[in-house]
Amino acid sequence: MRRTFPLAACAAGLLIGVPSAFAQSGGVEKAVGGYSFEEAAKEAPTTKDFHSADGHLTFAIVTHTAGNGFFDPVYVGATAAGNLIGAKILLLGSESPTDDPAREIEILNQIVQDPTIDGLIMTTPQVGAYNDIVKAAEAKGIPVATTNSFDGTILDRSGISHTGQDASAAAIAGEALVKCLADKGIEKGSIVLPSSTAMGNIEVNNRVTSAFNAIVKGLKAAGKLDAFKVDAGPENTGIDTNPNDPVNGIVTLFESRGDVVGAFAGNNVFTPALAKAVAQTGKTGKICAYGFDLGPAQQDALKSGDLTGALGQQPFLQGFYPVMQLYLQIDRGIAAANLDTRAQLVTQETVGKVGKRFEN
């Protein structure tokens, strides 16, 4: 009589005598050079005594505005990285809620003289203002990393890592604005990009230009450029607006044009102001308003609809990576490497997902 066996039983029989049913093939136990990966992965015995020779690493991170919440996730990221490598992280920055490079430089001049510092991380919004800081740090043997804002002219640029968002990412908001206009069926009107070059932040200027170019390109591709007036000022770096009174400045801009259907703001000063201006002029939900950063004010504005969208820089990475980069330079001798944190477009539909782990 013919007998049959369940499939599971047959499979079990096939495995008899096999040491491990899930044994891996192609495993690598040691390096071609003969050393152990486990041993090679250990921290160098001299790392904790680098520069300050006090048995632990101390890194300072200094920003140009600690008073508005944007850099909170940066500080969280730096702290998280410090915890991973057992380093002490000093969180420093201007107390101002608006960009304050002068105060940042004052703090940097103090901290670079601190004998306990083993590495320095700084934002560089004011082009050409940080060379003396770099020179002083390098003279003391302290490695430097920059984060957030980029100064392409800084002393020893090629030897200093940078973590930040390239300003060209603002094109994402420009493209989204054009799509928003189409979705709303808006066929004509003014699109304004308020800003202030007086703040001295070249990154913001470049963001406005990138957003402007993307808007023009998108409208032209749709065959609708002639129906809209896209205005980013004479140099395409923003319509000059008072940074000390940005809300009234944008309200006045809206009222003077009379037909504003779209707007873009390039930083944490003008984006919350844009949202307030939209609300004050009764344009909530009626125009396409995009901005930058994802602080508490921006998140509230996205939820209320006063902002259509905002771009995040993923600032957690802007704190986390430079700490790890300095550590790798000290412990491994790895040359400075850059990281582009790109952009995260957040809307009313997705804002609830932001900030769950302080990473916005």
Side-chain angles (χ1 to χ4, degrees), residues 131-360:
N131 288 346
D132 288 344
I133 303 296
V134 173
K135 190 179 298 183
E138 291 185 345
K140 295 175 180 293
I142 301 172
V144 176
T146 62
T147 193
N148 184 253
S149 47
F150 181 73
D151 178 0
T153 69
I154 199 169
L155 181 69
D156 196 23
R157 177 75 274 175
S158 296
I160 295 175
S161 72
H162 180 73
T163 303
Q165 179 190 66
D166 190 274
S168 62
I172 295 172
E175 293 163 359
L177 193 154
V178 173
K179 183 178 184 301
C180 172
L181 293 172
D183 290 345
K184 289 181 178 294
I186 298 173
E187 297 292 334
K188 61 181 181 178
S190 292
I191 300 169
V192 295
L193 292 82
S195 192
S196 173
T197 57
M199 300 178 72
N201 192 326
I202 189 66
E203 283 294 295
V204 175
N205 300 345
N206 291 339
R207 288 175 192 166
V208 174
T209 301
S210 294
F212 170 83
N213 289 337
I215 293 168
V216 170
K217 181 180 178 181
L219 291 174
K220 186 176 182 180
K224 296 182 178 181
L225 183 57
D226 290 342
F228 292 88
K229 182 179 180 181
V230 188
D231 189 354
E235 303 296 328
N236 295 333
T237 55
I239 301 170
D240 189 40
T241 308
N242 185 357
N244 297 314
D245 191 11
V247 177
N248 284 330
I250 297 174
V251 168
T252 299
L253 179 61
F254 282 3
E255 292 175 344
S256 67
R257 300 302 168 92
D259 65 343
V260 173
V261 295
F264 170 82
N267 66 0
N268 198 45
V269 173
F270 286 100
T271 299
L274 171 60
K276 290 180 180 179
V278 167
Q280 287 185 23
T281 55
K283 294 182 179 295
T284 301
K286 299 177 183 178
I287 73 169
C288 300
Y290 287 81
F292 240 84
D293 300 335
L294 295 170
Q298 285 89 329
Q299 291 184 43
D300 288 344
L302 288 167
K303 292 172 184 176
S304 69
D306 296 331
L307 276 182
T308 313
L311 290 181
Q313 301 184 52
Q314 304 194 98
F316 183 95
L317 287 174
Q318 295 181 8
F320 185 90
Y321 185 79
V323 169
M324 300 306 293
Q325 175 63 49
L326 290 181
Y327 176 75
L328 292 173
Q329 287 179 239
I330 292 168
D331 185 61
R332 298 281 163 179
I334 292 176
N338 300 331
L339 177 69
D340 182 358
T341 58
R342 301 296 294 274
Q344 176 186 17
L345 177 63
V346 177
T347 64
Q348 189 176 50
E349 291 71 32
T350 59
V351 66
K353 300 177 182 178
V354 173
K356 294 295 185 182
R357 288 282 292 156
F358 310 100
E359 79 284 5
N360 56 303

Side-chain angles (χ1 to χ4, degrees), residues 92-170:
L92 306 167
S94 167
E95 303 84 348
S96 172
T98 60
D99 290 0
D100 190 359
R103 174 60 177 144
E104 180 200 15
I105 291 170
E106 181 182 344
I107 296 170
L108 285 167
N109 279 317
Q110 294 172 350
I111 202 68
V112 78
Q113 303 302 325
D114 188 333
T116 69
I117 297 299
D118 299 296
L120 177 62
I121 301 161
M122 61 184 180
T123 60
T124 55
Q126 188 171 325
V127 173
Y130 305 90
N131 288 346
D132 288 344
I133 303 296
V134 173
K135 190 179 298 183
E138 291 185 345
K140 295 175 180 293
I142 301 172
V144 176
T146 62
T147 193
N148 184 253
S149 47
F150 181 73
D151 178 0
T153 69
I154 199 169
L155 181 69
D156 196 23
R157 177 75 274 175
S158 296
I160 295 175
S161 72
H162 180 73
T163 303
Q165 179 190 66
D166 190 274
S168 62

